[in-house]
Amino acid sequence: MAEQNKALKSMADRVVNGYKAVHRKEFQEAIELLEPLKPMLHQPEKPNVTFLVHLSMAQIGTKDIEGFLSTYEELQGYEPKNDEEKKLKERVDGAFEELMKTMADQSEN
């Protein structure tokens, strides 16, 4: 039981550190911490909007456009459970809109 608790604490620390890395704009570090945890922390039948938001922000921060768009599309299938998730999701929506605007501007030039 102690080993299981130790493993859970280690995973929780990794998630917290990943979220903090996003807030510090250390996106590569965030990707390295969060990406491997996605299969455990988010499944379609048990969505984790907060996790997906942080992962998507790390992806856009590292210019992983395909990864960001994939995560963004997945995120659109889930309703936020509370005001905090709603605000987080709105930030990703803003990043998506900015990306689309930038891509449109580049295609005009």
Side-chain angles (χ1 to χ4, degrees), residues 34-47:
L34 299 175
E35 189 83 32
L37 299 176
K38 185 178 178 185
M40 290 180 284
L41 296 179
H42 169 76
Q43 295 96 33
E45 63 279 357
K46 291 176 95 179

Side-chain angles (χ1 to χ4, degrees), residues 14-107:
R14 187 177 177 132
V15 171
V16 169
N17 289 334
Y19 289 4
K20 286 180 179 178
V22 169
H23 292 282
R24 290 190 311 266
K25 298 183 182 195
E26 294 173 4
F27 300 117
Q28 187 59 46
E29 178 185 346
I31 288 283
E32 291 168 10
L33 290 166
L34 299 175
E35 189 83 32
L37 299 176
K38 185 178 178 185
M40 290 180 284
L41 296 179
H42 169 76
Q43 295 96 33
E45 63 279 357
K46 291 176 95 179
N48 187 332
V49 169
T50 301
F51 180 83
L52 289 179
V53 165
H54 284 84
L55 179 60
S56 68
M57 295 307 282
Q59 289 168 326
I60 195 82
T62 59
K63 297 181 179 30
D64 175 7
I65 304 305
E66 285 185 34
F68 171 76
L69 291 174
S70 176
T71 303
Y72 179 77
E73 182 179 16
E74 187 173 3
L75 190 55
Q76 295 313 299
Y78 305 112
E79 287 297 318
K81 290 182 263 184
N82 54 46
D83 284 343
E84 184 180 337
E85 283 187 358
K86 183 178 179 194
K87 288 177 187 172
L88 287 170
K89 199 171 172 190
E90 287 171 354
R91 285 183 55 204
V92 176
D93 289 341
F96 175 78
E97 290 170 14
E98 187 65 32
L99 174 64
M100 293 298 106
K101 182 177 180 269
T102 300
M103 290 172 72
D105 289 348
Q106 286 177 352
S107 69

